[in-house]
Amino acid sequence: MMKQLLTPVALAALFAASGVQAQTVLKIGYATAVTSHYGVGSTTFCDEIEKGTQGRYKCQQFPNSALGGEREQIEAVQLGTQDLVNTSTGPLGNFVPEVKIVDIPFLFRDYDHARKVMDGPIGQDLSKKMEAKGLVNLAWTENGFRHMTNSKRAINQASDASGLKMRTMENKVHMDGYKTFGILPTPMPFPELFTALQQGTVDGQENPIPVILSSKFSQVQKHLSLTGHVYSPAALILSPAVWNKLSAADKQVFLEAGKKAAAAQRKKVNDDEANGIAQLEKDGMQVVKQVNGESFRKAVAPAYQQYAKEFGADKIAAIQAVK
C-alpha cells in the first residue's frame, strides 16, 4: 500500500491541531560576560519574550564579543544577519549621527538625570532616528558613567591625564573631548583591549565600573580614577527583518520585555557601582574617589563650541534642562 505524503498545508494543520508551534531562535550579542550588566539585561529580555510568546520566540546568547565588536554587531543587525544586539551608544553614532549628542563629556549630572533624558521625549526622538536607519530600538538599557584606568599614575585632575595613551571607542565626540585633557586617544575595538593593556600598547582605557569589573581590567591596570566624565547609555536593538514579521501582539511583548531588560540592566549597574569599587581595591587597584571634576569641566569647555556647532546649542541645553 502506497504511503500518502502530507502536503505542507496538511502538515501545518497537523502541527496546529497537536498544539506544536514553530519556534524562532533569535541571536543576541553583546561585548561583555553573561554575568555582566549586559548579560543581566539580555537574559531578562530573553526570558520575557519566551514567556510572553509561549515559547514561540527564544534567544541564543553570544556574550564576550563572540559575534564581533559592537560596531560589527550593529551593522549585522542593520543588515539582518544578526537579530539583536545590546550595545553601548559609543559606535552607534557611526550609523545614526544624531545619537552622538549623548556622548558629550559632562553632559549629564547623574544617573537620575541621564535616565530621565533617555526615557523621555529626547530618547524617544533618538529611537525614531534609529528606526529611519534600519535599527529598531526596543529600549535604552545602560552601560554607566565612564571612569579612567591606567598603568602609569593616579589621575587626580585633568592635567594628570596629559600624555597618556588611552584606548577610546571609535567615537569622535569622545576623542575630541579627551584631547582637551591632553590624552592621546587611541580608538580600538573592545575585543582587542585586554591584550593591548597587557602588552602596554596603550597606557589605559575608560569604561563604566561594570565593564572594568566584568572584563577583569584590575589584572592589567593599577590606577582607577572616578572621573565620571561621560555617561554611556546602551540600546537593545532589534533587526527590522525580525520586527516586521511580528504580529501587533508580539511587538507589544518585545517592547515590554525591553522595558524589563532596561530596568534589570540599570539595577545591575547600580549594584556594581555600589559594590564594585571595593572589589577592585581588593583586587589591587589604587582608586582615586574624589577627583577635581572642575579641572576636567574647565578643560573640556573649548570642545563645547564644536559640539554646539555639530548638534545645536539648543539641543544640548534641552538635555541639560531636564530635571
Side-chain angles (χ1 to χ4, degrees):
M1 190 175 161
M2 225 167 148
K3 285 183 183 168
Q4 198 171 6
L5 292 172
L6 288 172
T7 65
V9 174
L11 272 170
L14 186 67
F15 277 121
S18 64
V20 176
Q21 292 174 311
Q23 190 177 68
T24 302
V25 179
L26 303 174
K27 284 191 297 186
I28 179 167
Y30 44 93
T32 51
V34 75
T35 52
S36 71
H37 52 315
Y38 283 111
V40 168
S42 300
T43 299
T44 300
F45 174 79
C46 295
D47 289 348
E48 289 296 323
I49 62 159
E50 190 167 356
K51 196 164 64 182
T53 64
Q54 293 76 49
R56 285 179 290 108
Y57 285 91
K58 65 180 293 186
C59 300
Q60 185 180 2
Q61 295 191 50
F62 293 86
N64 294 316
S65 307
L67 299 175
E70 287 185 325
R71 186 172 178 159
E72 293 165 282
Q73 291 194 56
I74 294 167
E75 190 171 20
V77 167
Q78 195 179 41
L79 294 170
T81 55
Q82 182 175 325
D83 303 308
L84 289 140
V85 62
N86 195 350
T87 175
S88 73
T89 51
L92 188 55
N94 295 302
F95 302 85
V96 189
E98 294 90 345
V99 172
K100 288 181 191 174
I101 192 169
V102 298
D103 291 313
I104 293 175
F106 298 104
L107 179 63
F108 296 100
R109 294 183 298 278
D110 50 33
Y111 278 108
D112 183 56
H113 177 215
R115 290 166 182 175
K116 276 180 180 159
V117 170
M118 300 316 293
D119 292 342
I122 292 168
Q124 287 161 15
D125 184 55
L126 291 175
S127 292
K128 281 181 193 152
K129 299 276 195 300
M130 287 169 66
E131 204 162 343
K133 295 288 167 70
L135 296 164
V136 179
N137 187 23
L138 295 174
W140 292 110
T141 54
E142 186 167 79
N143 197 17
F145 275 94
R146 304 178 77 85
H147 306 290
M148 295 180 190
T149 73
N150 79 96
S151 58
K152 299 287 185 190
R153 56 181 174 267
I155 297 172
N156 294 285
Q157 56 196 15
S159 58
D160 294 333
S162 186
L164 289 174
K165 198 173 181 188
M166 194 84 75
R167 177 268 175 182
T168 66
M169 288 196 269
E170 297 166 87
N171 182 307
K172 190 175 179 294
V173 173
H174 283 187
M175 289 190 276
D176 287 348
Y178 302 164
K179 280 175 189 167
T180 67
F181 309 144
I183 283 170
L184 307 171
T186 308
M188 180 186 294
F190 186 76
E192 297 169 22
L193 177 52
F194 189 91
T195 306
L197 292 169
Q198 200 171 36
Q199 294 175 348
T201 311
V202 289
D203 301 317
Q205 62 85 50
E206 44 81 55
N207 257 302
I209 296 297
V211 177
I212 296 168
L213 266 177
S214 63
S215 303
K216 298 184 167 49
F217 288 148
S218 58
Q219 294 177 6
V220 286
Q221 296 278 268
K222 187 178 177 183
H223 300 281
L224 163 63
S225 293
L226 303 183
T227 47
H229 51 279
V230 165
Y231 171 73
S232 187
L236 182 60
I237 307 171
L238 179 70
S239 171
V242 177
W243 180 252
N244 294 335
K245 286 180 192 166
L246 296 176
S247 66
D250 283 348
K251 281 179 178 172
Q252 203 49 45
V253 168
F254 274 57
L255 289 168
E256 284 303 314
K259 277 186 198 167
K260 287 185 178 171
Q265 192 157 327
R266 289 172 179 181
K267 183 183 181 303
K268 175 64 172 161
V269 170
N270 289 349
D271 293 346
D272 282 352
E273 286 266 351
N275 309 314
I277 294 158
Q279 181 58 49
L280 292 167
E281 283 180 314
K282 200 170 147 193
D283 293 343
M285 290 192 95
Q286 293 178 14
V287 182
V288 176
K289 291 173 185 166
Q290 295 293 327
V291 298
N292 181 344
E294 193 49 44
S295 70
F296 283 96
R297 281 186 280 275
K298 204 170 165 185
V300 84
Y304 263 75
Q305 293 166 12
Q306 178 55 39
Y307 297 146
K309 274 186 208 164
E310 188 173 348
F311 303 110
D314 56 331
K315 285 194 166 67
I316 294 170
I319 289 174
Q320 291 169 327
V322 172
K323 297 291 182 210

